[in-house]
């Protein structure tokens, strides 16, 4: 029987998949037939429950603990994926941290942690899967950036975070050039999405954000997952090095 699932039998690693946007991406991919590797660094319970949900729906999932900023952890993450499934077709570099601080209040520690997870983590994971995907003659890498890495208006707060997300866009373009034509590398720039990451925003700040958003609401993790599914599927084979903004129009260019 021919399946019309978009990711039938593909193997997808989603970093930081226990919570938030990563969780929605992993669920969406599994519902389209992918075997999903659920990576986490702290959220073990949430990750195991997601794997159970996927299995209950007839899907396949593997849970792997790894801090994406640590090269040995990343090596283990990819090794465990290869040991279990024998291939990697899709990598979503989703794991991220946001430590609230404006430039003058930020510290070197905040800078290092943010760059290490958001930017270096994406570099390390991409490097680890790239040779496998090149050998397989196809692959998709999707990096989760942010509108704040693209658009001046949204770049006021959280300087290390903004720098890391702008860096992710540079990384995306460089990888697209270096890994083409075999591997497509694209980024998604979400606007404000309803997850734990933005739970520290005050109601006043949220009101301003909604007011600035043509769609007049913040986004849902599933709306980022829908864009990730497109970039992971064969439907986007002629797109590489691009950034897709999913922000309800906030910060449009
Ligand atoms: P979230 O709910 O806070 O989730 C962050 C995820 O990153 C968690 O699953 C966390 O896993 C994981 N993570 C953090 N450090 C890690 C590490 N060292 N190694 C592996 N995983 C790690 O935030 P979210 O909104 O879903 O964020 C997902 C991505 O979207 C991030 O890259 C974020 O910057 C980006 N983004 C979010 C928004 C937004 O408005 N929410 C907007 C633009 C971009 P553990 O709990 O296991 O540590």
């Amino acid at each position: 029987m021919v399946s019309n699932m978009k990711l039938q039998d593909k193997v997808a690693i989603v970093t930081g998949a226990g919570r938030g946007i990563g969780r929605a991406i992993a669920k969406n991919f599994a519902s389209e037939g992918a075997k999903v590797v659920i990576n986490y660094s702290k959220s073990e319970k949430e990750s195991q429950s997601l794997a159970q949900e996927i299995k209950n729906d007839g899907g396949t999932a593997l849970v792997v603990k790894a801090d994406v900023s640590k090269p040995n952890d990343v090596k283990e993450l990819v090794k465990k994926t290869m040991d279990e499934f024998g291939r990697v077709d899709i990598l979503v570099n989703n794991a991220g941290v946001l430590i609230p601080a404006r430039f003058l209040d930020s510290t070197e520690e905040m800078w290092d942690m943010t760059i290490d997870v958001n930017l270096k983590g994406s570099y390390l994971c991409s490097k680890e899967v790239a040779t496998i995907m090149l050998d397989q003659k196809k692959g998709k890498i999707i990096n989760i950036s942010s509108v704040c890495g693209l658009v001046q208006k949204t770049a006021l707060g959280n300087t290390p975070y903004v720098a890391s997300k702008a860096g992710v866009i540079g990384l995306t373009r460089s990888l697209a050039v270096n890994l083409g034509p075999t591997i497509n590398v694209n980024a998604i720039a979400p606007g404000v999405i309803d997850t734990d990451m933005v739970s520290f925003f005050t109601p006043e700040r949220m009101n301003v954000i909604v007011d600035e958003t043509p769609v007049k609401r913040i986004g849902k993790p599933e709306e980022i997952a829908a864009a990730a599914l497109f970039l992971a599927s064969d439907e986007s084979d002629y797109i590489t090095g691009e950034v897709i903004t999913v922000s309800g129009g906030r910060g449009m260019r």
Side-chain angles (χ1 to χ4, degrees), residues 9 15 37 39 44 57 65 125 131 136 179 191 193 205 243 249:
D9 295 329
T15 67
V37 179
N39 158 251
E44 180 173 12
D57 290 341
K65 178 180 165 82
C125 292
T131 41
Q136 290 171 187
L179 299 175
I193 308 298
R205 186 168 174 194
V243 185

Side-chain angles (χ1 to χ4, degrees), residues 164-236:
S164 74
K165 293 301 181 177
V168 164
I169 292 169
L171 177 72
T172 301
R173 291 176 177 151
S174 180
L175 293 186
V177 174
N178 277 280
L179 299 175
T182 311
I183 306 174
N184 297 63
V185 188
N186 291 290
I188 299 172
V192 175
I193 308 298
D194 188 11
T195 69
D196 296 343
M197 188 167 276
V198 297
S199 57
F200 71 94
F201 284 18
T202 61
E204 293 72 28
R205 186 168 174 194
M206 273 302 184
N207 286 340
V208 172
I209 287 165
V210 168
D211 197 49
E212 289 171 352
T213 306
V215 168
K216 295 297 170 208
R217 62 174 175 81
I218 63 167
K220 295 179 264 196
E222 293 73 20
E223 291 172 316
I224 305 305
L229 174 61
F230 170 64
L231 291 176
S233 75
D234 294 345
E235 289 171 1
S236 59

Side-chain angles (χ1 to χ4, degrees), residues 16-22 39-43 66-68 94-97 117 144-146 161 165 190-193 195-198:
R19 300 188 285 122
I21 291 170
N39 158 251
Y40 73 95
S41 68
K42 296 195 186 100
S43 300
D67 177 339
V68 295
N94 164 81
V97 290
V117 176
I144 307 298
S145 176
S146 167
Y161 184 80
K165 293 301 181 177
V192 175
I193 308 298
T195 69
D196 296 343
M197 188 167 276
V198 297

